[in-house]
Amino acid sequence: MKKLFLALTMLPMLVQGQTLEECQQAAEKNYPLIRQYGLVEKTTQLTVANIQKGWLPQVSATAQATYQSDVTAWPDEMKTMMSGMGIDMKGLTKDQYRVGIDVQQTIYDGGIIGSQKRIAHEQGKVQAAQNEVNIYNVRKRVNEMYFSLLLIDEQIKLNNDLQTLLAGNERKLEAMTRRGTAAESDLQNVKAERLNAIQKATELASQKQMLQRMLSTFCGMEVTEVRKPLVKADGGGMMAENRRPELKAMDAQISVLKAQEKALNAALMPKVGVFAQGFYGYPGLNMFEDMMRHKWSLNGIVGARVTWNIGALYTRKNDKAKLQLQRDMTENNREVFLFNNNLEQIQQHENIARYQKLMVQDGEIIALRQAVRKAAESKLAHGIIDVNDLVREINQEHAACVQQSVHEIEMLKDIYDNKYTTNQ
């Protein structure tokens, strides 16, 4: 019972078909680039985690063996004096060995690590914003397929009407032929036109199936039918607020440049750290002891260090100038984008207004063509005109209906293209 109720509930949705908004949302979720959001976020997290490890102790292990051309030695006078006292002063050997570990811990880095983290976060935002731009472009492709499908649906309906109209006149001509008031060629003429309409219907059905499959694949769901959007056309030409993701991407690029500019200041600050060195080898720190006894020993040093590298001052002016140039280029790209975007809006508003006017005339033309066609049917029944005149009037009425549908769908498409242009 529940399954039956659910099926009855879903039936209206299947009959009505999918809306443009539903197709757009489904296509964005189905598009492979959507997975890059998670990849960008994870990459940023890993980058920041690696930068944060700059606060951990930096440990390095070394091992070296050297042979020197000369070594520190006792003065000859002292060697003579010590020898007289019975002390053998061997001196250092020329071959020396050392195995050790160095540990350095940063206490204050002048803000470099913090600056690097901010830059990494902002660069992640740039990548995410650019990915949003690429996914946003999916909407335009969905719009193209959706409105093409709508137009074909309208043409199929009008083609069915044409077939019905031709079939009705064909039946009338059959009766007239039996009565001897119409020639067999007249009947064949109308029948040929009806078969042409059937052929056109076959072509339209094939095109619809192709578009349905393309749109279904793009959206990741089966698109059975599409619904005509119910929107109010505004041909006033008012420019809407622009919310395009491209602008967000440019803002993110500016934020990266600001973070890099702050990093230039951090590069000028002194650094404070502590260190420890330990090694096992020969000679050790007790040089005199090693000059008397050639033995390896354990040695260690601990201390604090302040470093201040003023080399960043040499390039600071040029580095700031480069960042300002990149900012100017980004702002220029923004101006170019907005300029072209405004031109698109103007064109779309003008198209919408034009289609509105044409549709008013379309209605009048269809009414006139319908009246002329009905009059032609009456004239043919009374033998005033031949069947060619009737077929011509039927085709002209059909063409007027098709033209009205084209104008309506094109107007709706421009309305939604305008929504896409401003991201409304």
Side-chain angles (χ1 to χ4, degrees), residues 41-86:
E41 184 179 357
K42 290 179 181 178
T43 301
T44 302
Q45 290 175 353
L46 291 173
T47 303
V48 172
N50 285 340
I51 294 172
Q52 183 66 25
K53 287 179 171 57
W55 289 112
L56 296 177
Q58 306 300 307
V59 181
S60 61
T62 59
Q64 69 177 34
T66 62
Y67 183 85
Q68 301 178 192
S69 61
D70 204 355
V71 294
T72 303
W74 296 102
D76 292 339
E77 293 81 0
M78 183 170 290
K79 290 177 65 175
T80 302
M81 184 182 65
M82 299 299 288
S83 178
M85 296 173 62

Side-chain angles (χ1 to χ4, degrees), residues 277-290:
Q277 298 176 349
F279 69 92
Y280 178 67
Y282 170 85
L285 296 177
N286 190 341
M287 189 70 68
F288 293 126
E289 180 71 18
D290 292 333

Side-chain angles (χ1 to χ4, degrees), residues 127-381:
Q127 293 178 352
Q130 187 58 51
N131 194 56
E132 184 180 351
V133 171
N134 295 333
I135 292 178
Y136 183 76
N137 291 334
V138 170
R139 294 189 187 182
K140 189 169 186 178
R141 298 171 68 178
V142 171
N143 285 359
E144 294 290 339
M145 289 183 283
Y146 192 92
F147 285 104
S148 295
L149 197 51
L150 269 180
L151 183 58
I152 288 180
D153 278 344
E154 290 296 319
Q155 290 178 337
I156 289 175
K157 292 176 184 178
L158 293 174
N159 183 274
N160 290 334
D161 294 340
L162 176 61
Q163 290 185 47
T164 301
L165 183 59
L166 289 170
N169 282 280
E170 187 177 343
R171 287 191 297 271
K172 293 178 183 178
L173 283 168
E174 285 177 349
M176 293 173 65
T177 302
R178 287 194 298 268
R179 294 195 303 269
T181 58
E184 183 70 24
S185 60
D186 293 338
L187 176 61
Q188 293 172 346
N189 192 350
V190 174
K191 187 174 182 179
E193 287 296 325
R194 183 174 61 81
L195 292 176
N196 285 336
I198 292 174
Q199 279 188 333
K200 182 64 175 178
T202 303
E203 293 177 3
L204 291 172
S206 177
Q207 293 176 17
K208 178 179 179 179
Q209 184 179 10
M210 178 191 67
L211 281 171
Q212 279 181 327
R213 291 181 62 184
M214 290 176 60
L215 188 57
S216 297
T217 302
F218 210 77
C219 297
M221 66 177 185
E222 185 178 0
V223 179
T224 54
E225 296 293 336
V226 291
R227 281 188 269 173
K228 187 185 298 184
L230 299 176
V231 292
K232 181 180 179 181
D234 181 14
M238 295 295 293
M239 294 296 181
E241 179 185 0
N242 202 316
R243 301 174 183 172
R244 285 287 289 269
E246 288 88 344
L247 299 177
K248 291 174 61 178
M250 293 176 194
D251 290 337
Q253 292 172 1
I254 295 294
S255 297
V256 171
L257 296 176
K258 290 180 180 178
Q260 291 175 338
E261 190 171 1
K262 290 182 179 178
L264 294 179
N265 298 330
L268 293 176
M269 302 299 291
K271 284 77 177 173
V272 180
V274 294
F275 65 92
Q277 298 176 349
F279 69 92
Y280 178 67
Y282 170 85
L285 296 177
N286 190 341
M287 189 70 68
F288 293 126
E289 180 71 18
D290 292 333
M291 292 174 74
M292 297 178 66
R293 298 178 179 85
H294 298 167
K295 293 182 179 180
W296 287 38
S297 59
L298 287 171
N299 304 269
I301 301 174
V302 295
R305 181 184 292 122
V306 177
T307 58
W308 195 350
N309 184 3
I310 63 172
L313 282 172
Y314 304 152
T315 60
R316 178 178 173 80
K317 182 178 179 181
N318 289 341
D319 289 338
K320 292 191 70 172
K322 285 170 59 179
L323 291 176
Q324 184 59 46
L325 287 174
Q326 293 179 34
R327 186 196 297 262
D328 293 341
M329 289 175 62
T330 303
E331 292 296 344
N332 181 255
N333 290 337
R334 186 199 304 274
E335 292 176 5
V336 171
F337 175 80
L338 290 174
F339 181 83
N340 292 331
N341 190 275
N342 287 338
L343 288 180
E344 288 183 19
Q345 289 190 61
I346 292 173
Q347 182 179 9
Q348 288 157 357
H349 282 297
E350 290 300 323
N351 286 340
I352 293 170
R354 174 167 57 89
Y355 285 130
Q356 284 179 304
K357 295 176 182 177
L358 290 176
M359 287 174 64
V360 173
Q361 298 169 351
D362 284 335
E364 297 176 359
I365 292 173
I366 290 174
L368 292 173
R369 288 296 180 189
Q370 189 176 31
V372 172
R373 186 260 306 167
K374 290 180 179 179
E377 290 175 341
S378 177
K379 290 178 181 178
L380 179 65

